PDB file of all heavy atoms in Angstrom:
ATOM      1  N   ASP K 246     -14.411  19.794   1.493  1.00 98.00           N
ATOM      2  CA  ASP K 246     -15.283  20.862   0.996  1.00 98.00           C
ATOM      3  C   ASP K 246     -14.226  22.064   0.744  1.00 98.00           C
ATOM      4  O   ASP K 246     -13.654  22.660   1.626  1.00 98.00           O
ATOM      5  CB  ASP K 246     -16.335  21.354   1.956  1.00 98.00           C
ATOM      6  CG  ASP K 246     -16.957  22.632   1.520  1.00 98.00           C
ATOM      7  OD1 ASP K 246     -16.668  23.154   0.462  1.00 98.00           O
ATOM      8  OD2 ASP K 246     -18.049  22.900   2.126  1.00 98.00           O
ATOM      9  N   PRO K 247     -13.972  22.435  -0.624  1.00 98.00           N
ATOM     10  CA  PRO K 247     -12.893  23.420  -0.962  1.00 98.00           C
ATOM     11  C   PRO K 247     -13.266  24.772  -0.446  1.00 98.00           C
ATOM     12  O   PRO K 247     -12.394  25.712  -0.478  1.00 98.00           O
ATOM     13  CB  PRO K 247     -12.901  23.312  -2.521  1.00 98.00           C
ATOM     14  CG  PRO K 247     -14.259  22.735  -2.839  1.00 98.00           C
ATOM     15  CD  PRO K 247     -14.633  21.802  -1.807  1.00 98.00           C
ATOM     16  N   SER K 248     -14.558  25.066  -0.189  1.00 97.00           N
ATOM     17  CA  SER K 248     -14.975  26.501   0.238  1.00 97.00           C
ATOM     18  C   SER K 248     -14.474  26.819   1.631  1.00 97.00           C
ATOM     19  O   SER K 248     -14.720  27.894   2.015  1.00 97.00           O
ATOM     20  CB  SER K 248     -16.423  26.618  -0.062  1.00 97.00           C
ATOM     21  OG  SER K 248     -17.075  25.963   0.964  1.00 97.00           O
ATOM     22  N   LYS K 249     -14.070  25.796   2.345  1.00 97.00           N
ATOM     23  CA  LYS K 249     -13.767  26.106   3.836  1.00 97.00           C
ATOM     24  C   LYS K 249     -12.369  25.897   4.118  1.00 97.00           C
ATOM     25  O   LYS K 249     -11.726  24.811   3.961  1.00 97.00           O
ATOM     26  CB  LYS K 249     -14.579  25.036   4.653  1.00 97.00           C
ATOM     27  CG  LYS K 249     -16.039  25.050   4.329  1.00 97.00           C
ATOM     28  CD  LYS K 249     -16.854  24.896   5.487  1.00 97.00           C
ATOM     29  CE  LYS K 249     -18.331  25.418   5.284  1.00 97.00           C
ATOM     30  NZ  LYS K 249     -18.998  24.733   4.107  1.00 97.00           N
ATOM     31  N   SER K 250     -11.683  26.916   4.538  1.00 95.00           N
ATOM     32  CA  SER K 250     -10.205  26.895   4.833  1.00 95.00           C
ATOM     33  C   SER K 250      -9.964  26.341   6.230  1.00 95.00           C
ATOM     34  O   SER K 250      -8.809  25.771   6.486  1.00 95.00           O
ATOM     35  CB  SER K 250      -9.539  28.293   4.539  1.00 95.00           C
ATOM     36  OG  SER K 250     -10.109  29.193   5.353  1.00 95.00           O
ATOM     37  N   ASN K 251     -10.856  26.588   7.101  1.00 96.00           N
ATOM     38  CA  ASN K 251     -10.692  26.141   8.441  1.00 96.00           C
ATOM     39  C   ASN K 251     -11.069  24.700   8.699  1.00 96.00           C
ATOM     40  O   ASN K 251     -12.193  24.308   8.316  1.00 96.00           O
ATOM     41  CB  ASN K 251     -11.488  26.987   9.499  1.00 96.00           C
ATOM     42  CG  ASN K 251     -11.272  26.690  10.830  1.00 96.00           C
ATOM     43  OD1 ASN K 251     -10.731  25.470  11.254  1.00 96.00           O
ATOM     44  ND2 ASN K 251     -11.506  27.527  11.815  1.00 96.00           N
ATOM     45  N   ILE K 252     -10.109  23.885   9.000  1.00 96.00           N
ATOM     46  CA  ILE K 252     -10.284  22.438   9.044  1.00 96.00           C
ATOM     47  C   ILE K 252     -11.554  22.066   9.918  1.00 96.00           C
ATOM     48  O   ILE K 252     -12.261  21.102   9.707  1.00 96.00           O
ATOM     49  CB  ILE K 252      -9.122  21.558   9.389  1.00 96.00           C
ATOM     50  CG1 ILE K 252      -9.320  20.151   9.285  1.00 96.00           C
ATOM     51  CG2 ILE K 252      -8.560  21.912  10.833  1.00 96.00           C
ATOM     52  CD1 ILE K 252      -8.573  19.472   8.203  1.00 96.00           C
ATOM     53  N   GLU K 253     -11.789  22.793  10.855  1.00 96.00           N
ATOM     54  CA  GLU K 253     -12.920  22.652  11.917  1.00 96.00           C
ATOM     55  C   GLU K 253     -14.240  22.708  11.213  1.00 96.00           C
ATOM     56  O   GLU K 253     -15.210  22.098  11.654  1.00 96.00           O
ATOM     57  CB  GLU K 253     -12.868  23.677  12.951  1.00 96.00           C
ATOM     58  CG  GLU K 253     -11.516  23.807  13.732  1.00 96.00           C
ATOM     59  CD  GLU K 253     -11.366  22.758  14.667  1.00 96.00           C
ATOM     60  OE1 GLU K 253     -12.299  22.319  15.367  1.00 96.00           O
ATOM     61  OE2 GLU K 253     -10.173  22.271  14.843  1.00 96.00           O
ATOM     62  N   HIS K 254     -14.287  23.369  10.103  1.00 97.00           N
ATOM     63  CA  HIS K 254     -15.471  23.555   9.373  1.00 97.00           C
ATOM     64  C   HIS K 254     -15.751  22.538   8.221  1.00 97.00           C
ATOM     65  O   HIS K 254     -16.815  22.686   7.555  1.00 97.00           O
ATOM     66  CB  HIS K 254     -15.586  25.013   8.851  1.00 97.00           C
ATOM     67  CG  HIS K 254     -15.530  26.086   9.872  1.00 97.00           C
ATOM     68  ND1 HIS K 254     -14.903  27.370   9.573  1.00 97.00           N
ATOM     69  CD2 HIS K 254     -15.900  26.046  11.102  1.00 97.00           C
ATOM     70  CE1 HIS K 254     -14.968  28.022  10.718  1.00 97.00           C
ATOM     71  NE2 HIS K 254     -15.501  27.249  11.685  1.00 97.00           N
ATOM     72  N   GLN K 255     -14.841  21.569   8.028  1.00 98.00           N
ATOM     73  CA  GLN K 255     -14.984  20.550   7.074  1.00 98.00           C
ATOM     74  C   GLN K 255     -16.080  19.662   7.589  1.00 98.00           C
ATOM     75  O   GLN K 255     -16.342  19.491   8.776  1.00 98.00           O
ATOM     76  CB  GLN K 255     -13.715  19.838   6.835  1.00 98.00           C
ATOM     77  CG  GLN K 255     -12.582  20.578   6.123  1.00 98.00           C
ATOM     78  CD  GLN K 255     -13.002  20.842   4.639  1.00 98.00           C
ATOM     79  OE1 GLN K 255     -13.658  20.041   4.091  1.00 98.00           O
ATOM     80  NE2 GLN K 255     -12.669  22.048   4.195  1.00 98.00           N
ATOM     81  N   PRO K 256     -16.704  19.035   6.460  1.00 97.00           N
ATOM     82  CA  PRO K 256     -17.760  18.007   6.908  1.00 97.00           C
ATOM     83  C   PRO K 256     -17.275  16.867   7.791  1.00 97.00           C
ATOM     84  O   PRO K 256     -16.119  16.551   7.744  1.00 97.00           O
ATOM     85  CB  PRO K 256     -18.179  17.481   5.595  1.00 97.00           C
ATOM     86  CG  PRO K 256     -17.623  18.276   4.556  1.00 97.00           C
ATOM     87  CD  PRO K 256     -16.582  19.193   5.165  1.00 97.00           C
ATOM     88  N   SER K 257     -18.155  16.415   8.665  1.00 97.00           N
ATOM     89  CA  SER K 257     -17.600  15.417   9.629  1.00 97.00           C
ATOM     90  C   SER K 257     -17.184  14.178   8.975  1.00 97.00           C
ATOM     91  O   SER K 257     -16.196  13.521   9.446  1.00 97.00           O
ATOM     92  CB  SER K 257     -18.701  15.106  10.609  1.00 97.00           C
ATOM     93  OG  SER K 257     -19.859  14.643   9.982  1.00 97.00           O
ATOM     94  N   ASN K 258     -17.703  13.897   7.867  1.00 96.00           N
ATOM     95  CA  ASN K 258     -17.358  12.812   6.986  1.00 96.00           C
ATOM     96  C   ASN K 258     -15.892  12.923   6.592  1.00 96.00           C
ATOM     97  O   ASN K 258     -15.146  11.820   6.580  1.00 96.00           O
ATOM     98  CB  ASN K 258     -18.292  12.867   5.706  1.00 96.00           C
ATOM     99  CG  ASN K 258     -17.735  11.997   4.599  1.00 96.00           C
ATOM    100  OD1 ASN K 258     -17.320  10.852   4.844  1.00 96.00           O
ATOM    101  ND2 ASN K 258     -17.862  12.565   3.401  1.00 96.00           N
ATOM    102  N   PHE K 259     -15.425  14.043   6.298  1.00 98.00           N
ATOM    103  CA  PHE K 259     -13.934  14.318   5.934  1.00 98.00           C
ATOM    104  C   PHE K 259     -13.158  14.181   7.299  1.00 98.00           C
ATOM    105  O   PHE K 259     -12.115  13.526   7.277  1.00 98.00           O
ATOM    106  CB  PHE K 259     -13.800  15.574   5.225  1.00 98.00           C
ATOM    107  CG  PHE K 259     -12.343  15.837   4.921  1.00 98.00           C
ATOM    108  CD1 PHE K 259     -11.683  15.158   3.924  1.00 98.00           C
ATOM    109  CD2 PHE K 259     -11.636  16.839   5.704  1.00 98.00           C
ATOM    110  CE1 PHE K 259     -10.327  15.376   3.572  1.00 98.00           C
ATOM    111  CE2 PHE K 259     -10.234  16.990   5.406  1.00 98.00           C
ATOM    112  CZ  PHE K 259      -9.705  16.235   4.319  1.00 98.00           C
ATOM    113  N   ARG K 260     -13.556  14.944   8.283  1.00 97.00           N
ATOM    114  CA  ARG K 260     -12.722  14.933   9.493  1.00 97.00           C
ATOM    115  C   ARG K 260     -12.616  13.650  10.224  1.00 97.00           C
ATOM    116  O   ARG K 260     -11.639  13.456  10.838  1.00 97.00           O
ATOM    117  CB  ARG K 260     -13.353  15.990  10.466  1.00 97.00           C
ATOM    118  CG  ARG K 260     -13.202  17.430   9.897  1.00 97.00           C
ATOM    119  CD  ARG K 260     -13.703  18.523  10.762  1.00 97.00           C
ATOM    120  NE  ARG K 260     -13.300  18.300  12.174  1.00 97.00           N
ATOM    121  CZ  ARG K 260     -13.792  18.712  13.289  1.00 97.00           C
ATOM    122  NH1 ARG K 260     -14.980  19.345  13.173  1.00 97.00           N
ATOM    123  NH2 ARG K 260     -13.243  18.548  14.365  1.00 97.00           N
ATOM    124  N   ASP K 261     -13.576  12.805   9.954  1.00 97.00           N
ATOM    125  CA  ASP K 261     -13.564  11.523  10.596  1.00 97.00           C
ATOM    126  C   ASP K 261     -12.374  10.708  10.049  1.00 97.00           C
ATOM    127  O   ASP K 261     -11.829   9.747  10.729  1.00 97.00           O
ATOM    128  CB  ASP K 261     -14.879  10.825  10.368  1.00 97.00           C
ATOM    129  CG  ASP K 261     -14.889   9.243  10.631  1.00 97.00           C
ATOM    130  OD1 ASP K 261     -14.442   8.952  11.758  1.00 97.00           O
ATOM    131  OD2 ASP K 261     -15.200   8.425   9.709  1.00 97.00           O
ATOM    132  N   LYS K 262     -12.004  10.934   8.790  1.00 97.00           N
ATOM    133  CA  LYS K 262     -10.938  10.202   8.125  1.00 97.00           C
ATOM    134  C   LYS K 262      -9.560  10.809   8.212  1.00 97.00           C
ATOM    135  O   LYS K 262      -8.631  10.111   8.434  1.00 97.00           O
ATOM    136  CB  LYS K 262     -11.326   9.955   6.619  1.00 97.00           C
ATOM    137  CG  LYS K 262     -12.544   9.336   6.360  1.00 97.00           C
ATOM    138  CD  LYS K 262     -12.609   9.193   4.741  1.00 97.00           C
ATOM    139  CE  LYS K 262     -13.981   8.737   4.411  1.00 97.00           C
ATOM    140  NZ  LYS K 262     -15.032   9.738   4.349  1.00 97.00           N
ATOM    141  N   TRP K 263      -9.588  12.042   7.800  1.00 97.00           N
ATOM    142  CA  TRP K 263      -8.325  12.793   7.665  1.00 97.00           C
ATOM    143  C   TRP K 263      -7.599  12.836   9.030  1.00 97.00           C
ATOM    144  O   TRP K 263      -8.243  13.094  10.040  1.00 97.00           O
ATOM    145  CB  TRP K 263      -8.496  14.078   7.028  1.00 97.00           C
ATOM    146  CG  TRP K 263      -7.282  14.675   6.536  1.00 97.00           C
ATOM    147  CD1 TRP K 263      -6.484  15.684   7.169  1.00 97.00           C
ATOM    148  CD2 TRP K 263      -6.535  14.315   5.360  1.00 97.00           C
ATOM    149  NE1 TRP K 263      -5.403  15.900   6.461  1.00 97.00           N
ATOM    150  CE2 TRP K 263      -5.405  15.161   5.249  1.00 97.00           C
ATOM    151  CE3 TRP K 263      -6.742  13.410   4.314  1.00 97.00           C
ATOM    152  CZ2 TRP K 263      -4.419  15.061   4.279  1.00 97.00           C
ATOM    153  CZ3 TRP K 263      -5.855  13.315   3.266  1.00 97.00           C
ATOM    154  CH2 TRP K 263      -4.604  14.093   3.295  1.00 97.00           C
ATOM    155  N   PRO K 264      -6.242  12.785   9.170  1.00 97.00           N
ATOM    156  CA  PRO K 264      -5.241  12.554   8.085  1.00 97.00           C
ATOM    157  C   PRO K 264      -4.996  11.131   7.660  1.00 97.00           C
ATOM    158  O   PRO K 264      -5.301  10.345   8.453  1.00 97.00           O
ATOM    159  CB  PRO K 264      -3.918  13.164   8.652  1.00 97.00           C
ATOM    160  CG  PRO K 264      -4.070  13.072  10.094  1.00 97.00           C
ATOM    161  CD  PRO K 264      -5.552  13.098  10.414  1.00 97.00           C
TER     162      PRO K 264
END
Side-chain angles (χ1 to χ4, degrees):
D246 178 349
S248 71
K249 310 219 156 55
S250 57
N251 186 336
I252 187 114
E253 307 282 323
H254 301 148
Q255 285 296 323
S257 59
N258 162 43
F259 178 75
R260 292 182 50 205
D261 167 53
K262 303 184 185 77
W263 193 260

